[in-house]
Amino acid sequence: MRPSSTAALQAPDTPAPLSRMAGALTLAAMSLGFGVVQLDITIVNTALDSIRSGLGGDVAALQWVVNAYTIAFAAFILTAGALGDRFGARRIFMAGFALFTAASVGCALAPDAGSLIALRGLQGLAAALLVPNSLALLNHAYPDPTARGRAVGIWAAGASLALTAGPFVGGILIALTGWRAIFFVNLPIGLIGLWLAKAYAQETPVHPGRAVDLPGQAAAVIALGALAAAVIEAGVRGWTDSFVMLGVIVALIAAVAFVWQEARAAQPMLPLALFRHPLFARCALVGLLANIAIYGLIFVFSLYFQEINGLSPFATGLAFLPMFGVVFPVNLLAPRIAERVGARVTIALGAALSAVACLALLPIAPGTPYAAMALQLVGLSCGLGLMVPPLTSTLLGSVDRSRSGVAAGVLNATRQSGSVFGVALFGALIGPAGAFMHGLRLSIIISATLMLAAAGVIRWGAPSGAAR
């Protein structure tokens, strides 16, 4: 975006500068909020086989343990961003942190798979409250674009640390005390994050006129839930099953109803006018494509390591450690690369790197030594680490500051919707008996194609007047 346009967009609601200490501790609180959300992605994936052993169920049940979280996350995140704009991002962020912590304790105490799935949905709702409002608070605390870009890089790097620690810590906890301990670990994180946010985060301006779009919210939940149910069950029943076809039809009807509602609502949860800005629209699409690919692969590789190659949860955690560990330094490096070559170029390079890494995984087979796939997995996550900070900062910089909560919600809604679809689709591909390796390779090909498409969309699709 041109500097003159950026200044014009950022004029409203410009906050008073924070002290260096207050800014750093606000950033720490926001990083903990995003980090605990990401932690529960990798730490749960490591525990999937242990959860199945402890509570019973098949691949479809494990998909619901993952997707109950991501469906609620994706479906409610837009409303959560609007709530932050209406009542103050700090207030909603703290409510989300408290709910996430309580739901985590509930997951740890769940007596059966159904209860765990329901509580994972509650965790997802809390995650929806956390993430967009953490970004809104960062956007408020760091009005300077360069400082904001670096703060977002640190915010993303904190989440990368959580992603990295998740498999390793999860494997240790499962080996020592069982899978329930992976949820108790969120308790101290939640308490520290709540204290930091209360003590140091500066509340954003309140816009009491912003309404909550309940019909749009209902349509979003139905569309995502029906689509996930249809795709998950397709792996068991087949794509021509009546239940699967009904789920697809319901999802399509709900999606159309959602768009219709958002087009006519006086205060929609998803202002369609945001997508008139080409850079905003393309950033949202890239987030969707990337998460289908990456988080779908994380799910199937978790099962590949444990079910096909016979690794323990702890060994699986170690297998993911290099993959997630490299994201942290790359997240910190990405904003500086973007300052040199441009944000769109940086995002496209990251997507292309992930695509090449996916294609290099195609020779994988049962019993493939870890050393033969480690470099590819690291390359996959390097690409993601390179994409996320400039993608997030670019999208936030493309809208008025007063809409930052909703804008952050849109990005995370599209990304989490991608996660829902990726886990559902790739899980369905590996679900049929004897089809695991064929489904895994097909998942890899789909992921590579999606990442190449993301590179093209952001690099060559934007108009010439857009920021690099």
Side-chain angles (χ1 to χ4, degrees):
M1 179 174 290
R2 294 182 296 273
S4 58
S5 300
T6 303
L9 286 173
Q10 291 179 351
D13 298 327
T14 301
L18 292 176
S19 69
R20 185 180 296 272
M21 175 69 74
L25 291 174
T26 296
L27 176 56
M30 301 310 105
S31 298
L32 284 175
F34 188 32
V36 77
V37 168
Q38 296 291 69
L39 177 70
D40 266 47
I41 295 172
T42 56
I43 204 168
V44 169
N45 273 283
T46 304
L48 288 174
D49 201 50
S50 299
I51 291 172
R52 174 158 58 181
S53 299
L55 299 181
D58 53 12
V59 171
L62 297 180
Q63 286 172 278
W64 277 116
V65 168
V66 174
N67 268 346
Y69 181 83
T70 46
I71 287 171
F73 193 175
F76 288 101
I77 201 166
L78 290 172
T79 294
L83 287 172
D85 288 339
R86 180 176 181 178
F87 297 108
R90 177 175 173 269
R91 183 176 290 110
I92 300 301
F93 175 84
M94 292 183 65
F97 227 148
L99 180 60
F100 193 96
T101 305
S104 297
V105 174
C107 287
L109 302 174
D112 50 51
S115 300
L116 178 60
I117 290 168
L119 287 161
R120 286 281 289 164
L122 191 60
Q123 268 192 317
L125 170 60
L129 297 174
L130 278 171
V131 175
N133 289 295
S134 71
L135 271 174
L137 287 166
L138 280 186
N139 202 37
H140 188 68
Y142 293 89
D144 176 70
T146 300
R148 183 179 63 239
R150 293 182 179 180
V152 169
I154 295 171
W155 173 84
S160 302
L161 278 178
L163 283 169
T164 303
F168 181 69
V169 173
I172 293 175
L173 292 174
I174 293 165
L176 293 176
T177 63
W179 64 266
R180 297 179 187 275
I182 67 171
F183 295 109
F184 278 125
V185 77
N186 294 336
L187 181 58
I189 297 173
L191 294 176
I192 294 170
L194 281 167
W195 176 76
L196 285 173
K198 182 177 181 180
Y200 296 103
Q202 185 181 80
E203 185 61 280
T204 59
V206 173
H207 303 277
R210 299 276 167 87
V212 176
D213 179 14
L214 294 178
Q217 179 64 82
V221 172
I222 293 170
L224 279 174
L227 179 62
V231 177
I232 287 171
E233 290 301 317
V236 179
R237 303 169 182 245
W239 291 96
T240 59
D241 179 79
S242 58
F243 176 86
V244 173
M245 296 178 69
L246 178 63
V248 172
I249 292 170
V250 170
L252 287 174
I253 292 172
V256 170
F258 175 76
V259 174
W260 179 77
Q261 166 64 18
E262 300 313 285
R264 64 183 288 273
Q267 296 189 46
M269 63 184 281
L270 174 57
L272 298 181
L274 290 175
F275 290 93
R276 292 175 189 161
H277 191 299
L279 202 55
F280 179 94
R282 292 176 188 281
C283 285
L285 178 57
V286 168
L288 175 73
L289 298 176
N291 270 41
I292 292 174
I294 300 298
Y295 287 95
L297 285 181
I298 289 173
F299 179 82
V300 295
F301 268 96
S302 297
L303 295 176
Y304 167 79
F305 285 137
Q306 296 179 71
E307 293 191 4
I308 303 301
N309 281 7
L311 299 184
S312 67
F314 179 67
T316 299
L318 290 177
F320 276 122
L321 192 59
M323 177 181 179
F324 294 122
V326 74
V327 179
F328 175 71
V330 176
N331 276 161
L332 294 177
L333 184 62
R336 288 164 172 78
I337 296 176
E339 289 168 17
R340 280 181 167 271
V341 303
R344 290 195 297 124
V345 173
T346 306
I347 297 165
L349 286 173
L353 176 58
S354 290
V356 170
C358 284
L359 294 174
L361 283 167
L362 278 176
I364 195 171
T368 296
Y370 178 73
M373 68 181 85
L375 184 61
Q376 297 93 309
L377 292 174
V378 168
L380 184 69
S381 56
C382 271
L384 181 65
L386 202 58
M387 292 172 67
V388 171
L391 185 71
T392 305
S393 187
T394 299
L395 181 137
L396 284 177
S398 70
V399 301
D400 188 281
R401 186 175 300 281
S402 69
R403 307 298 287 178
S404 60
V406 172
V410 171
L411 177 60
N412 285 283
T414 54
R415 292 188 65 197
Q416 294 309 314
S417 296
S419 299
V420 170
F421 188 70
V423 170
L425 175 61
F426 293 0
L429 293 175
I430 65 171
F436 192 103
M437 291 308 303
H438 174 73
L440 175 57
R441 293 191 188 98
L442 187 55
S443 300
I444 290 170
I445 292 171
I446 293 171
S447 295
T449 303
L450 293 175
M451 296 306 285
L452 287 174
V457 162
I458 198 67
R459 179 64 185 93
W460 293 284
S464 57
R468 288 187 305 164

